[in-house]
Structures are given as C-alpha cells and as structure tokens.
Amino acid sequence: MAQVCPKLSREEERRVPMASTNGDRRPKYQRIADTLREAIQAGEYGPGDRLPGENDLMATHDVARMTARQALGVLQAEGIAESRKGAGVFVRAFRPLRRRGIQRLAQEQWGAGRSIWAADTEKRDLVVDQVEVTEEPAPERISVVLDVEAESKVCVRRRRFVLDGKPVLLATSYLPAPIVAGSAITEENTGPGGVYARLAELGYKPVHFREEIRSRMPSKDEAAQLNISAGTPVILICRTAFADEGRPVEINEMTLDAASYVLEYDFDA
Amino acid sequence: MAQVCPKLSREEERRVPMASTNGDRRPKYQRIADTLREAIQAGEYGPGDRLPGENDLMATHDVARMTARQALGVLQAEGIAESRKGAGVFVRAFRPLRRRGIQRLAQEQWGAGRSIWAADTEKRDLVVDQVEVTEEPAPERISVVLDVEAESKVCVRRRRFVLDGKPVLLATSYLPAPIVAGSAITEENTGPGGVYARLAELGYKPVHFREEIRSRMPSKDEAAQLNISAGTPVILICRTAFADEGRPVEINEMTLDAASYVLEYDFDA
DNA sequence: TAGTGGTCTAGACCACCTC
DNA sequence: AGGTGGTCTAGACCACTAC
C-alpha cells in the first residue's frame, strides 16, 4: 500500500484509462495545460484576460498545488501566458514593431539627414534610453571580421532603445578606432544622419550591408536589460557595413525582444 | 517554530546573509543555476558534457529534490542544457545552417534548374522528408494577401525538411488554384527549378520577394514535428513572391528550428 | 540492476497585490 | 485581510538508460 492510497479515487483515475480510451497516458499537467490552451485559442480568454489560478485548477482538476503550477508553467514557457506576482496569470498579447531591413538602410534615409531608426517607428515612440561610447580592445570575433589586428582598439557604441517605456532593443556597434578618431562618431550624439553619414564624410561611405539573424532564449543579463518575460526569445541581428572594395567599417550587434519585432526584407529576384 | 525548524542550519542560511553580504536574497535554485551556468561559460563543461544530476545537486547544495530540479530547469529553459530521460542533463551545442535569404532566390538559382534549397546546404544533407499537396479554401490571412476572394481555392504544398536525420524546417506554400491548375505545381515533384520555374512558365515569373521574420516559442504541434527540445524557439518566415505589376503569386510560411539556422541577408545601400 | 530524470502529493512560509 | 503566485521540503512511484 505504502503511499499508494492517500486517495484511491485519484490513483485509479490513472490506472483505469488504459483500458478505456488508452489515450490518457499524457501527464496530468499537460492535459490541464491543453484545456487551457484550447480555451485561449477558442477565444474564451482574450489577450490580457486572467486565467484560472492555481487554486482554481487544484479544485477543478483535483490535483496538488505543484501540478497546477506545472500546467501554468507550460503556458508561460510557450509565451502564451504571463504571471504577475500576487495578481494572477494572464493571457499575453503580441503587437510588434515592423523593422524594414533593406529600405531603412537605403541611402536616402541617412543621406537625407534622418536617423535610420526613424524608419522603424511609424509614428510610435521609439527612443534611445541609454548611450555609452568607449574605446576598447577588439574582441576576437570583431577583429576577425573588421580585418584589424587582434586586440587593436575599436570604438564601441552601446545603446538601448525604448518603445512606450518598454526596452525593446540593445545595439552595440564596433568601428575601427583609427578611422573614426576625432569625428562625431565618438560622441554620444553623432549628428544628422547618424554614424553612416559621418562615415561617408570620412571617406568610408557604406555601400553594402550584411545582416545575420539568429534566435535563442535570452541570457540572464539580456532578460534583465530588456525586461523580458518568461517564454520570450530574443532575436540577434549582426550587421556588417561595407565601404568600397568590400572594406568592413562597422559591425552592429543587436538584441531584440522577439515579442516586439517583425523583421521585413524586400528584394528583387 | 512551526515548520520553521526541520533543519535550523538551513533556515539560518537564509536569514543570516542579509546581515553579511546582503546579496544572498536570490532564490536557492537560481543561485545553483548560476554556479552551473558560470561553470559552463568558464569551459568546465563543454558541449555534450554531462552536468551534475539532481542527486549531485541535492548533496552538494543541501537542498530538496524539487529545488535541484528547478535549477536544472532554468538552464534547460535558457536553452543551454538539455535533459535525456534516464541518462542525465547535458550541455547543448549550436551548429546552425546558413540560409542566404537573397542570393538563394536570385534567378540564377532556380533559373538554372537547381532547387533553391541546394544553396542552403553547403554539402550538408538537407532533404525533403514529407510532402503533401492539397487544394483547400484559403484561410483569411492568405486570401487577403494573395488578393483572391475569401474562401476561394488555393493549392497548398506542405513539406518537411530533414538535416542529418533531424527535422529542421516546415514549409507551407499557398498558390491561387486557378493559375496553377494542371501544372507540375500540383504534383509532389515540381520538376527542375521547382515551383518558381513552373510559375515562370505559366507567365507568372516571380520578380520580387518579401520575407517577414518573427520568433517565438513553438506550439505543441510545431515542437513535435520539429522534435524541438525545451528552451529552443522557432523562427517564422513568411515569404510572399510577386510577379510583374506586383501581383502576389505565392505565400510560403516556414517554421525553422532556431537552433539549426542562421539567416543571412546581403544587400546594397 | 542501479541510477537517472519525469511526475505527483501534501503540506509550509513568504512577498506581493487587490480590496 | 485575504488571495495570488514564488519558493521549498520530504517523501513517493514510474519509465527509461546504461552497464
């Protein structure tokens, strides 16, 4: 008997189904998560609505606390739900920014004195929140791509962007220190047209770009800086800007809150 | 006293630190996760190595089973560790495919009779695993973009791609049924050059593409079809192909295992 | 067969939020 | 003040893996 019989009815519930429908072999917490997920997709709970809490689920499904928690944990890990301490678990929404990868870097944008970030916002309020400009020895991956000597100095520009009070983007740019020395690129405010306009003035006009895109779960640090909730990945964009003759002049490593962005690339065959 | 004293030494461990370093307010499971994470980043555990198991952590950190589990759960949710039932928890690796978004769709690719997927693989073994071709009423989001009447028939091509035995990509294409009727596009095998070469023959040569990219955690179904492990997001690519005069002729919705892909877009300023 | 992770129970204390 | 989620304990049975 042992621990087998604190509640026989409950144990039987697990042993019998094999005989009947058989399809009941999945763990309880997953079945609970399924019913909630289906209810959400059926529209019974809309974005922002409160889901049944741990106590509700314990009662309605006759399970222990941890099991109800596990079920809610599944939905949070899927990014479908979001818990607020002391308040409850709620259905999440998804209203992303659209980032046009190619048009935004067309020369008309920065050539005309507008920051390329302006193309992002479509009247929404995306602003720089934190800026830090330093000179540092180049990390290996940077020196390799920029084609400078290992450990040689690079200008590093770190910025954070905030949309409606929520941080959505971290960007770190690396430029060879010798070619930007003394220019506005080493200032917090780079002036009209931004870094690329200044590079053009210095004789390193960017004519070609490469963007590499990955996605993964955020590190602890990234999650903190972007205030990312559980179950939300980050998108990593690594952009390299090339001047004439394929000379790489800037690397921009960006970390985006995946729940805040849709990337768009438009191109001809 | 109450439950406060099953092991005083343990409780004190939580109360005292406030006086000393104060910085010990974080939950135990996070501190355990931190030490493991740091050990991994310091190279003490390389990709594929086995991490200390639940029993190890219970012993070395003097915690209960569930707490050790929570710690390991953190690393799995971050995608840096992976559990294998009955075996242990292991450090994950990351060796992605490179998908060149623009060159691969340059007309030389499919114009010369090669599948565009060939450009992906770099000699690696990416093959189609499952194909399904049907005719269905267009879902709303599709009929809107394809500019056909709601519910009108579309040709739907569903495929799954496998790399070295692991599924990495689900792709579903939608094309207006009237313009592809009778062509090889409605067959499982579309012939040399694939769908785009056939469209060209039908007078709908794709001349422009738009790709939209998002990322999120996989649905249950996606996780199953891609055999995705916990803590790994999916990348969603929605590509629209346009023929002359901006006529949309195909929508391809793709779901990628984010741990298997890097996307690349190359373009001029 | 011994060890591993996966699931589950039945309690507990806490910080936090809402009322 | 009462309810909520967050953390934690100390057990248990199971399926699976490796030897």
Side-chain angles (χ1 to χ4, degrees):
Chain A
M1 281 292 168
Q3 181 255 16
V4 181
C5 51
K7 270 198 177 177
L8 255 186
S9 63
R10 198 172 294 173
E11 287 305 317
E12 280 185 308
E13 191 191 328
R14 300 193 67 194
R15 305 254 152 97
V16 173
M18 196 171 71
S20 59
T21 60
N22 117 67
D24 224 347
R25 311 194 66 71
R26 312 247 320 293
K28 286 185 187 181
Y29 76 94
Q30 283 194 20
R31 276 181 277 155
I32 298 174
D34 288 349
T35 64
L36 287 174
R37 194 187 300 105
E38 285 158 17
I40 292 168
Q41 267 142 21
E44 292 177 44
Y45 303 99
D49 285 358
R50 183 176 180 281
L51 293 173
E54 298 174 357
N55 294 335
D56 299 291
L57 295 179
M58 287 170 67
T60 59
H61 291 86
D62 187 30
V63 293
R65 184 99 195 288
M66 287 304 303
T67 307
R69 266 185 83 67
Q70 260 184 300
L72 291 169
V74 168
L75 302 185
Q76 293 176 58
E78 288 174 359
I80 295 173
E82 183 175 33
S83 70
R84 291 206 284 274
K85 218 186 314 186
V89 182
F90 300 83
V91 179
R92 283 185 53 178
F94 176 59
R95 282 216 320 121
L97 273 179
R98 175 168 298 264
R99 176 188 183 273
R100 299 199 164 79
I102 296 180
Q103 294 97 314
R104 64 201 297 285
L105 289 173
Q107 197 180 338
E108 307 90 68
Q109 293 291 332
W110 46 274
R114 284 192 289 155
S115 162
I116 56 172
W117 301 108
D120 263 351
T121 59
E122 297 168 3
K123 307 290 182 298
R124 291 224 252 164
D125 201 22
L126 182 67
V127 295
V128 175
D129 179 40
Q130 301 172 359
V131 188
E132 180 194 271
V133 184
T134 65
E135 199 173 284
E136 304 174 15
E140 158 120 15
R141 68 182 188 289
I142 299 297
S143 61
V144 167
V145 175
L146 281 185
D147 196 23
V148 297
E149 282 185 27
E151 313 266 313
S152 68
K153 286 287 174 59
V154 287
C155 170
V156 182
R157 301 180 47 84
R158 284 178 238 274
R159 288 146 296 166
R160 187 172 82 163
F161 292 81
V162 178
L163 174 72
D164 300 336
K166 197 228 166 285
V168 293
L169 165 62
L170 308 173
T172 304
S173 289
Y174 301 87
L175 303 102
I179 76 173
V180 302
S183 78
I185 291 175
T186 63
E187 310 287 329
E188 288 198 0
N189 187 338
T190 52
V195 168
Y196 292 153
R198 297 296 85 70
L199 278 173
E201 293 164 4
L202 292 166
Y204 297 97
K205 186 175 80 167
V207 296
H208 188 81
F209 298 96
R210 167 153 60 232
E211 295 196 342
E212 294 175 313
I213 298 167
R214 307 170 33 188
S215 176
R216 57 165 168 73
M217 295 312 282
S219 71
K220 243 167 54 92
D221 193 55
E222 292 164 338
Q225 287 191 75
L226 289 174
N227 190 22
I228 278 183
S229 51
T232 306
V234 289
I235 296 173
L236 307 179
I237 305 179
C238 177
R239 177 173 66 222
T240 311
F242 298 89
D244 279 330
E245 300 173 359
R247 187 188 195 318
V249 291
E250 186 225 19
I251 297 174
N252 194 342
E253 295 185 327
M254 291 166 268
T255 306
L256 288 64
D257 175 359
S260 300
Y261 270 102
V262 169
L263 313 185
E264 180 181 312
Y265 292 90
D266 253 281
F267 53 96
D268 293 326
Chain B
M1 282 288 172
Q3 180 258 15
V4 181
C5 52
K7 269 196 177 178
L8 255 185
S9 63
R10 198 172 295 172
E11 286 307 316
E12 279 184 310
E13 189 192 326
R14 300 194 65 193
R15 303 258 151 95
V16 172
M18 197 171 69
S20 58
T21 59
N22 120 63
D24 225 347
R25 309 194 67 72
R26 313 249 317 293
K28 286 185 187 181
Y29 76 94
Q30 284 194 19
R31 276 181 278 154
I32 298 173
D34 288 349
T35 64
L36 288 174
R37 192 188 300 106
E38 284 158 19
I40 292 169
Q41 266 142 21
E44 292 176 46
Y45 303 98
D49 284 359
R50 183 177 180 280
L51 293 172
E54 298 174 357
N55 294 334
D56 299 291
L57 296 178
M58 288 169 69
T60 59
H61 291 86
D62 188 29
V63 293
R65 183 101 194 289
M66 286 305 302
T67 307
R69 267 185 82 69
Q70 259 184 301
L72 291 170
V74 168
L75 302 184
Q76 293 176 56
E78 287 174 359
I80 65 187
E82 182 176 33
S83 70
R84 290 206 284 273
K85 217 187 315 184
V89 181
F90 301 82
V91 179
R92 285 184 52 177
F94 176 60
R95 283 215 318 118
L97 273 178
R98 176 168 297 265
R99 175 188 185 273
R100 298 199 164 80
I102 296 181
Q103 295 95 315
R104 63 201 299 284
L105 289 175
Q107 199 180 337
E108 308 90 68
Q109 293 289 333
W110 46 274
R114 284 191 289 156
S115 162
I116 56 173
W117 301 107
D120 261 352
T121 60
E122 298 168 3
K123 307 291 182 298
R124 290 223 254 164
D125 201 22
L126 183 66
V127 294
V128 175
D129 179 39
Q130 301 172 0
V131 188
E132 182 193 90
V133 184
T134 65
E135 200 173 283
E136 303 173 15
E140 158 120 15
R141 69 181 187 289
I142 300 297
S143 61
V144 167
V145 175
L146 281 185
D147 197 21
V148 296
E149 282 185 27
E151 311 268 314
S152 69
K153 286 287 173 61
V154 286
C155 170
V156 181
R157 302 180 46 85
R158 285 179 237 274
R159 290 146 294 167
R160 186 172 82 162
F161 292 81
V162 177
L163 174 72
D164 302 336
K166 197 227 165 287
V168 293
L169 166 62
L170 307 173
T172 304
S173 289
Y174 301 87
L175 304 102
I179 76 173
V180 301
S183 78
I185 291 175
T186 62
E187 311 287 328
E188 288 198 359
N189 188 338
T190 52
V195 168
Y196 292 154
R198 297 296 85 72
L199 278 172
E201 293 164 4
L202 292 166
Y204 297 98
K205 186 174 81 167
V207 296
H208 188 79
F209 298 96
R210 167 153 59 232
E211 296 195 342
E212 294 175 314
I213 298 168
R214 307 171 32 189
S215 175
R216 56 165 169 74
M217 296 311 282
S219 70
K220 242 167 54 92
D221 193 55
E222 291 164 338
Q225 287 191 76
L226 290 173
N227 190 22
I228 277 183
S229 50
T232 306
V234 289
I235 297 173
L236 306 179
I237 306 177
C238 177
R239 177 173 67 222
T240 310
F242 298 90
D244 278 331
E245 298 171 2
R247 187 189 195 317
V249 289
E250 186 227 19
I251 297 174
N252 194 342
E253 295 185 328
M254 291 166 268
T255 306
L256 287 64
D257 174 359
S260 301
Y261 270 102
V262 168
L263 314 185
E264 181 182 312
Y265 292 89
D266 253 280
F267 53 95
D268 292 327

